[in-house]
Amino acid sequence: MPLLSRSLLLGALLTLAACGSTPTTTATSDDVLAATETLDSLASAGTLTVGQTRQLSVTVNGAAPSAGQVTWTSSNTTVATVSSTGLVTARAAGSATLRAALTARPSSYVDFSLTVTAATTPTTPTTPTTPSAFAQRVLDLTNAARAQARTCGTASYPAVAALTSNAQLAQAAQGHASDMAARNYFSHTSQDGRTLSQRVTATGYAWRAIAENIAAGQTTPESVVAGWLTSEGHCRNIMSASYKELGVGYATGGSYGHYWVQNFGSR
């Protein structure tokens, strides 16, 4: 199971509002069928991509219909299907009309026009395969995170400047990652008792402020950075404007298989 350490510091959701369109409605003398459409955040009004879903809803006389009161149909089930509750699933590229009709009076209905587009094949990023490539990818992902304002726990952080790679911090980070993997432990304190400050100072880095994130078990740079960002202390280190430079360490071995270290610093 992947681990994230508690962060070590020295010296120093997005809500999308749904929009809807007003479909055509054929009124009846008794029950009044009105339509509302709740869109998920993945699609614009009237369009879905193959594989996506959308929940449609209608009201009868201002209230949600009871079970069996409304019948849902699709004019083209090859393109889109619709469940008895109005959940639409896009099946193939094309157009379809989704109809909600009063079961007892089919002449009273609401039509929803839908266009389905073909799914695109995402470009697969090149997966790094060496420790140095992994370290560069962690730096890139960390700077991408710093480029956006975010909340770490209860603290809000603005976007901050990118970190630059530092060879001395990288030396300390790589040394600690390799040591944890070789000696099969997981801690900010080395098994010989050395602390973060001692490891960084030994490289000759004349620091004013330093911090460290460590993790174990995550197999990719993407998963480890995502894990750090969901942990308050680690996220604070990543987003802190106090740090200007970063060194990254990655090693394989030990019980967890993968060990990661970020050493932040400023001089």
Side-chain angles (χ1 to χ4, degrees):
M1 178 179 182
L3 291 179
L4 293 175
S5 77
R6 293 183 179 177
S7 60
L8 183 65
L9 175 63
L10 294 178
L13 304 189
L14 176 65
T15 300
L16 295 176
C19 60
S21 59
T22 304
T24 57
T25 303
T26 301
T28 67
S29 57
D30 297 323
D31 292 334
V32 177
L33 190 65
T36 60
E37 187 173 16
T38 302
L39 304 180
D40 61 33
S41 62
L42 297 178
S44 62
T47 303
L48 287 177
T49 299
V50 171
Q52 291 182 338
T53 61
R54 171 182 298 166
Q55 180 64 54
L56 303 178
S57 63
V58 295
T59 60
V60 179
N61 293 331
S66 57
Q69 191 176 10
V70 171
T71 299
W72 288 90
T73 56
S74 170
S75 66
N76 190 340
T77 55
T78 300
V79 171
T81 56
V82 60
S83 72
S84 60
T85 59
L87 179 65
V88 178
T89 301
R91 303 292 184 183
S95 300
T97 298
L98 294 313
R99 174 168 294 187
L102 289 173
T103 303
R105 188 174 294 106
S107 61
S108 179
Y109 60 85
V110 176
D111 282 342
F112 297 85
S113 296
L114 176 70
T115 299
V116 177
T117 59
T120 58
T121 302
T123 302
T124 302
T126 302
T127 302
T129 56
T130 65
S132 60
F134 270 60
Q136 182 60 50
R137 181 63 176 156
V138 169
L139 174 62
D140 292 343
L141 291 169
T142 299
N143 282 334
R146 286 169 66 91
Q148 301 180 37
R150 68 183 61 245
T151 299
C152 302
T154 58
S156 297
Y157 287 82
V160 288
L163 298 167
T164 58
S165 179
N166 177 270
Q168 292 167 312
L169 291 175
Q171 178 184 342
Q174 185 59 51
H176 190 45
S178 298
D179 192 54
M180 287 193 292
R183 296 174 182 247
N184 195 26
Y185 71 97
F186 183 74
S187 173
H188 287 288
T189 302
S190 303
Q191 286 200 326
D192 61 6
R194 288 176 302 140
T195 63
L196 166 63
S197 62
Q198 290 171 322
R199 291 191 298 269
V200 171
T201 299
T203 68
Y205 186 81
W207 54 273
R208 289 188 302 105
I210 51 173
E212 180 175 81
N213 286 344
I214 63 175
Q218 296 83 358
T219 58
T220 65
E222 289 76 13
S223 61
V224 74
V225 174
W228 280 328
L229 288 173
T230 60
S231 171
E232 180 176 354
H234 301 87
C235 179
R236 287 173 181 264
N237 284 344
I238 289 174
M239 294 303 297
S240 175
S242 298
Y243 308 120
K244 310 299 182 183
E245 297 173 303
L246 180 69
V248 178
Y250 168 73
T252 57
S255 299
Y256 293 101
H258 306 267
Y259 293 80
W260 306 83
V261 179
Q262 283 183 314
N263 282 168
F264 302 84
S266 60
R267 295 178 286 184

